[in-house]
């Protein structure tokens, strides 16, 4: 089963990476002045409201504040592409599933959601774009490599995938796991099942799906088999629990420690750095990046507007001002995506569902 899962995920991810290189659909472009005697240019199409929902992978207040400039940026870009949007409304869902359900219902037009959430709700939404992000200085299957070469640093290479990490904290049990990994020893099921874990909701690739696959490949178990796993409502609360010793291990995305490095000592009151207090004990296969997806039920989402919206986000991601806004999700820009890009996520979801059914 282990070989089958690995081959299935690797093949699907390769297909996704190739498919992700397709070119954006053509969009209406603004023209110059109308020549004398020619018919006047058609007026822009009016759209009353564009509703955008973000998943709560960061603190909701942080997301709302950071993305406020996106409203004006989108309005300007879409106006140049033939659409006058009166209001851009940005909200943060109470959970990943809440955003997927809003897209399916048409109460949100656009969602910035992980691949795992998109796959769960692809009956109700279409993927338009995938995010690019800075690569990291470490990209290894070995947990010890991540610890030996810490701290993790960004690179200028743009990538369309990332890793999930299982990170042990400064508790006594967390340090014991880290010491064993750093000594080159394999962790046993007794080791990992005997500690307290923080996981995300079941549609989170880095916080649940891929860590569960890691457990399956290593121990033929999954997250539901962990006797001491609790769900955190955000990565911020997960790191707070890790710092306080309420949990010994958390599941998160590979550059999360960079995002919470300052809070580790300021808000979480730790005296040592996050790099000294934590260690990687597990590394997952690569995960395809977050999506910008749109509702299939939204009355404004015809093909022409989807093409314009895609181009607008790509344009925003190509500006320094735009990069500053989307940095809240560690995004650096966007490229056109296809549904097949997320076949690796579908393979992961099927495995999780089969394991849960078997359980």
């Amino acid at each position: 089963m282990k070989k089958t899962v690995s081959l299935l995920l690797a093949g699907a991810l390769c297909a996704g990476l190739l498919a992700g290189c397709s070119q954006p659909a053509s969009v209406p472009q603004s023209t110059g002045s109308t020549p004398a005697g020619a018919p006047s240019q058609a007026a822009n199409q009016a759209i009353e409201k564009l509703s955008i929902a973000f998943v709560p992978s960061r603190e909701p207040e942080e997301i709302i504040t950071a993305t406020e400039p996106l409203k004006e940026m989108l309005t300007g870009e879409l106006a140049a592409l033939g659409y006058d949007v009166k209001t851009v409304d940005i909200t943060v869902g109470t959970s990943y599933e809440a955003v997927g359900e809003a897209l399916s219902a048409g109460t949100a037009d656009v969602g910035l959601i992980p691949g795992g959430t998109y796959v769960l709700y692809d009956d109700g939404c279409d993927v338009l774009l995938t995010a690019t992000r800075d690569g990291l200085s470490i990209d290894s299957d070995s947990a010890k490599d991540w610890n030996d070469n810490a701290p993790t640093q960004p690179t200028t290479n743009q990538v369309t995938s990332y890793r999930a990490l299982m990170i042990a904290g400064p508790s006594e049990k967390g340090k014991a796991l880290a010491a064993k990994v750093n000594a080159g020893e394999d962790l046993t099921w007794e080791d990992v099942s005997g500690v307290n874990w923080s996981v995300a909701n079941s549609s989170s690739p880095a916080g649940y799906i891929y860590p569960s696959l890691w457990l399956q490949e290593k121990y033929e178990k999954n997250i539901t088999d962990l006797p001491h796993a609790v769900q955190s409502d955000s990565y911020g609360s997960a790191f707070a629990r890790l710092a306080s010793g309420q949990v010994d291990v958390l599941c998160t995305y590979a550059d999360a420690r960079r995002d919470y490095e300052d809070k580790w000592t300021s808000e979480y009151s730790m005296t040592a750095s996050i790099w000294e207090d934590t260690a990687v004990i597990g590394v997952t296969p690569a995960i395809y990046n977050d999506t910008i997806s749109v509702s299939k039920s939204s009355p404004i989402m015809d093909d022409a507007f989807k093409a314009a919206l895609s181009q607008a986000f790509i344009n925003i991601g190509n500006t320094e001002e735009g990069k500053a806004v989307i940095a809240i999700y560690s995004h650096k820009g966007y490229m056109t995506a296809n549904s097949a890009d997320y076949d690796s996520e579908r393979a992961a979801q099927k495995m999780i569902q089969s394991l849960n059914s078997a359980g």
Side-chain angles (χ1 to χ4, degrees):
M1 179 182 287
K2 298 178 186 178
K3 293 182 179 178
T4 302
V5 173
S6 298
L7 290 172
L8 182 60
L9 286 172
L13 181 56
C14 290
L17 292 171
L18 291 173
C21 295
S22 59
Q23 296 299 312
S26 60
V27 297
Q29 300 291 331
S30 58
T31 61
S33 58
T34 304
S40 60
Q41 183 178 340
N44 280 5
Q45 182 174 332
I47 292 178
E48 187 68 19
K49 184 171 77 169
L50 178 66
S51 298
I52 302 175
F54 287 78
V55 294
S57 59
R58 300 286 291 270
E59 297 299 330
E61 295 80 7
E62 286 185 66
I63 296 172
I64 292 294
T65 300
T67 58
E68 178 65 26
L70 183 62
K71 298 177 181 179
E72 185 175 347
M73 292 178 186
L74 270 176
T75 301
E77 289 291 340
L78 288 169
L81 295 166
Y83 293 89
D84 290 334
V85 179
K86 183 176 180 181
T87 302
V88 176
D89 180 51
I90 293 178
T91 59
V92 179
T94 55
S95 67
Y96 290 43
E97 290 87 353
V99 178
E101 289 166 4
L103 289 171
S104 295
T107 54
D109 304 307
V110 183
L112 278 80
I113 57 177
T117 308
Y118 160 65
V119 167
L120 278 179
Y121 293 93
D122 61 2
D123 284 345
C125 63
D126 290 317
V127 62
L128 294 187
L129 302 170
T130 188
T132 63
R133 64 175 71 203
D134 287 338
L136 295 175
S137 55
I138 310 168
D139 184 23
S140 172
D141 293 321
S142 165
K144 187 175 184 300
D145 286 347
W146 288 80
N147 299 330
D148 290 345
N149 294 287
T152 309
Q153 300 290 348
T155 71
T156 56
N157 297 328
Q158 294 300 290
V159 297
T160 54
S161 62
Y162 63 101
R163 305 270 191 163
L165 302 177
M166 278 60 74
I167 296 175
S171 67
E172 183 179 347
K173 289 182 177 180
K175 287 180 178 179
L177 293 181
K180 195 168 182 180
V181 167
N182 290 333
E185 300 176 35
D186 291 332
L187 297 178
T188 66
W189 173 245
E190 288 70 26
D191 291 329
V192 299
S193 64
V195 301
N196 295 319
W197 286 69
S198 172
V199 301
N201 63 74
S202 60
S203 72
S204 171
Y208 190 99
I209 298 170
Y210 278 73
S212 201
L213 285 171
W214 179 81
L215 290 169
Q216 171 64 22
E217 292 188 342
K218 294 285 186 182
Y219 312 108
E220 297 186 352
K221 304 285 186 179
N222 91 39
I223 280 176
T224 59
D225 295 312
L226 292 171
H228 311 294
V230 296
Q231 181 177 316
S232 295
D233 58 2
S234 70
Y235 287 121
S237 63
F239 272 101
R241 287 175 172 174
L242 192 72
S244 69
Q246 293 178 49
V247 297
D248 307 300
V249 177
L250 63 75
C251 305
T252 190
Y253 55 99
D255 49 347
R257 286 183 294 177
R258 295 187 61 248
D259 289 341
Y260 290 94
E261 183 173 6
D262 291 340
K263 287 187 175 182
W264 189 257
T265 52
S266 60
E267 291 190 20
Y268 308 152
S269 303
M270 303 300 287
T271 54
S273 76
I274 196 170
W275 306 104
E276 296 172 280
D277 279 341
T278 66
V280 178
I281 63 165
V283 185
T284 74
I287 308 168
Y288 216 72
N289 280 352
D290 294 343
T291 79
I292 294 180
S293 297
V294 296
S295 171
K296 291 181 179 179
S297 301
S298 168
I300 65 174
M301 283 299 164
D302 58 22
D303 288 342
F305 185 60
K306 286 192 287 187
L309 187 66
S310 294
Q311 191 63 54
F313 271 107
I314 290 171
N315 292 348
I316 289 169
N318 286 335
T319 67
E320 291 306 313
E321 297 82 3
K323 290 182 190 298
V325 171
I326 62 179
I328 187 70
Y329 278 161
S330 300
H331 296 177
K332 286 291 184 176
Y334 300 101
M335 59 184 287
T336 300
N338 293 295
S339 178
D341 294 343
Y342 293 89
D343 281 349
S344 61
E345 293 291 346
R346 293 184 176 89
Q349 292 284 358
K350 286 181 180 177
M351 177 58 66
I352 295 298
Q353 289 168 8
S354 67
L355 292 173
N356 290 339
S357 297

